[in-house]
Amino acid sequence: QEIDFDTATLIADEFGITTEKIEEVTEEDILFDDSEDVEENLVPRAPVVVVMGHVDHGKTSLLDRLRKTDVVDDEAGGITQHIGASMVNYNGRQITFLDTPGHEAFTTMRARGADATDIAILVVAADDGVMPQTIEAINHAKAAEIEIIVAINKIDKPGTNPERVMQQLSAQGLVPEEWGGDTIMVPVSAKTGEGIDELMEMLLLTADVLELKADPDRQAKGVVLEARLDRSRGPVATLLVQRGTLRQGDTVVTSTVVGNIRAMTSSRGEDIEEAGPSTPVEILGLSDVPEAGEVFYQVDDEKTARQLAERRREEQREQEIGAGARMSLEALHQKMQSGEVEELKIVLKADVVGSVEAMRQSLEKLSTDEVRVDVIHGGVGGITESDIRLAEVADAIVIGFNVRPTGNVEEIAESVGVDIRLYRVIYEAIEDIQKAMAGLLEPELVEKVQGRVEIREIFHASSVGTIGGGY
């Protein structure tokens, strides 16, 4: 029988024995140093800036202005679909920009992006004003407790009224400085470049007020911004180092994934040996694709790290098994009583982790009383035979976002009657499913007479069978 430490101490005392409590040490305690920073070791670091706002308000073109590059042309449908990160040198000072996609479906990625950031630039188009996603972005930034700077974009358009935008923003609790509030608002034009310098100055000023610092000589730690499976190079992850210095050859742990950094690339695409605080890097060498938004640590003890990853995998597996076996007779009875729910089951594959999450949430939001949309599996990479087998067993459809079926998967799918649908833009997938759902709902039968035929004569022909002559 187990007894608590205090009772054990009392009993042991009776027998003249001294007791000592064993400190349980977990792998986390050994591997991760999460102690407070020492003030004198801290050095200033670059601010990490996230650009948010409503779709089509010019986030990407503003970022292009800010980093003098061009992203819009590559993106399908002009929507930014991956979190990118870049470092910009302005007047001899570094600023890290995270580019979060703007569609509401990417809320999850944006929430993750906001986690790692210090300042948010909220882009509001002067002609459109505050839109639903603008409010969403404001709420995210506030929840993450990051400073908000507003860029009122498209002021080059004739007849735009920045004052109106300021009024709308004040209603959302962002009161401009010139009206006695504390939110910096800068009218800009991503097209002509007007106001861009002022925006950069304000960014650096805000960063100075925040006094951002980190210790570059500690164990490196940060977040996974994005991860994907690359055909030729294996798992590729974009990391943002938040403290310490990450070096090529280091062992990295994130959730259940361990790996040694084989190669490290800067946001400009150059190979680098090390990355300090606030630096975004792309790394190769992980054993698997990590989840976006996970925290990573650089560790010295690779053996313990592998034990930790194995333990976490076990825990994950147990959770999944536990989750799968919850259906009991009582639950079954309740389900039958609640009225039969028609289900549209979906197997979802996408090219990056963030897209899977975003698509999953958008699709499941489409559920109605009559039809429940259920994403039974979401994963990264091409559509494989196991996806088809899963869809066959569960009677699901397969949706691919920016990925294709591998090998002879299409033939297999055809032979077992599994429907595969491929998309490049998130809206299209959602629209298609809405239409399919409209068809899935109980149909109303309406009879329309197309015409009438009176059979006048019947002929028998040995090669064809029976032929009817009609009028």
Side-chain angles (χ1 to χ4, degrees), residues 136-155:
E136 211 176 278
I138 294 171
N139 293 339
H140 269 301
K142 281 183 179 167
E145 295 177 4
I146 50 182
E147 292 292 320
I148 301 176
I149 295 178
V150 178
I152 301 173
N153 193 18
K154 305 191 182 182
I155 55 164

Side-chain angles (χ1 to χ4, degrees), residues 415-456:
S415 65
V416 295
V418 169
D419 188 10
I420 299 182
R421 297 182 171 266
L422 306 173
Y423 300 96
R424 286 193 63 200
V425 176
I426 216 164
Y427 306 129
E428 289 172 7
I430 293 168
E431 261 172 35
D432 275 8
I433 294 214
Q434 277 171 326
K435 284 179 197 153
M437 279 170 67
L440 265 179
L441 305 178
E442 286 302 308
E444 284 180 38
L445 292 177
V446 181
E447 200 171 279
K448 284 190 179 171
V449 179
Q450 304 288 329
R452 287 190 175 77
V453 176
E454 186 189 312
I455 302 286
R456 295 275 179 97

